[in-house]
Amino acid sequence: MNASPENELNTLRNLFIPLALVGLTAVVGCRREATPAAAPVAAAPVATPQPAPKPIAPDTKFPTLKLTTLDGQPFDLAAQRGKWAIVNFWATWCGPCLKEMPELSALDAMREHIVVVGLAYEDTTEDDLRAFLVKHPVVYPMALVDVYNPPADFDTPRGLPFTYLIGPDGGVVKKYTGPVSARMLEEDIAAAGGPAAG
């Protein structure tokens, strides 16, 4: 007996729908099995803010120093080449500074190969500083430097007095934190190849 086309169609539908569902289940199941469970994703490390890079310090091996002294004259450290230069940071309130000033003044006056410059490192006025130097005179030039903007090629003094010995070639020979004496400076000059002390 031949089945009618309508019966055949119903039979095919009855067979196709369950097969289609089985196929879908298999495909979905495969996908689940083929896709491994996602591992927990580690949080990306949070970037710690870094401090801004420090500016490169100027080369202080051969420092520059240009300023106007209290008497209105220009002072240029480069113009002192050929001599031993003593750059002395000091303040009017600093007892050891006042004690060494006469010796520095004598060196500048008596030794042709030595030049001294004093840099007043304090928050004061030029007029007050001039009045102070009337009572504590020296022969070497003096200048007032800004404590908030000291000369760029020199270390910021951590204490006073603070002194640099600069050689005839313009290079730093030695730095001194604390008081210096004429004898100490002359001995260091001689040790660095300069004239003998005395």
Side-chain angles (χ1 to χ4, degrees):
M1 177 176 179
N2 291 336
S4 69
E6 191 177 312
N7 285 342
E8 285 182 9
L9 186 58
N10 285 335
T11 303
L12 284 173
R13 275 188 199 144
N14 291 336
L15 287 173
F16 179 74
I17 290 173
L19 284 174
L21 289 173
V22 169
L24 274 173
T25 306
V27 170
V28 171
C30 287
R31 279 195 190 148
R32 286 187 182 153
E33 290 173 11
T35 305
V41 178
V46 177
T48 306
Q50 298 295 321
K54 292 182 180 179
I56 297 171
D59 180 7
T60 57
K61 186 176 180 184
F62 292 90
T64 60
L65 179 64
K66 289 184 179 182
L67 43 79
T68 301
T69 61
L70 291 176
D71 58 5
Q73 298 301 309
F75 179 89
D76 185 353
L77 186 59
Q80 311 308 317
R81 297 282 170 92
K83 294 187 176 184
W84 296 83
I86 297 167
V87 180
N88 177 250
F89 288 82
W90 70 286
T92 58
W93 46 262
C94 167
C97 300
L98 303 184
K99 188 173 180 181
E100 71 184 2
M101 285 169 65
E103 292 201 41
L104 295 177
S105 192
L107 275 179
D108 186 81
M110 298 170 59
R111 303 287 187 250
E112 290 184 8
H113 61 283
I114 297 175
V115 61
V116 179
V117 61
L119 304 181
Y121 187 72
E122 63 181 300
D123 194 8
T124 188
T125 66
E126 288 190 353
D127 287 339
D128 287 345
L129 193 54
R130 286 187 193 95
F132 179 86
L133 290 171
V134 167
K135 298 176 182 177
H136 304 273
V138 293
V139 299
Y140 54 90
M142 287 282 192
L144 179 62
V145 296
D146 185 349
V147 295
Y148 302 107
N149 187 27
D153 286 358
F154 291 82
D155 296 339
T156 301
R158 302 275 182 224
L160 294 174
F162 184 60
T163 305
Y164 276 77
L165 175 60
I166 310 292
D169 64 350
V172 174
V173 174
K174 197 164 184 178
K175 301 175 193 178
Y176 308 84
T177 300
V180 294
S181 66
R183 185 76 183 169
M184 178 192 307
L185 291 166
E186 287 199 282
E187 285 176 354
D188 288 341
I189 288 171

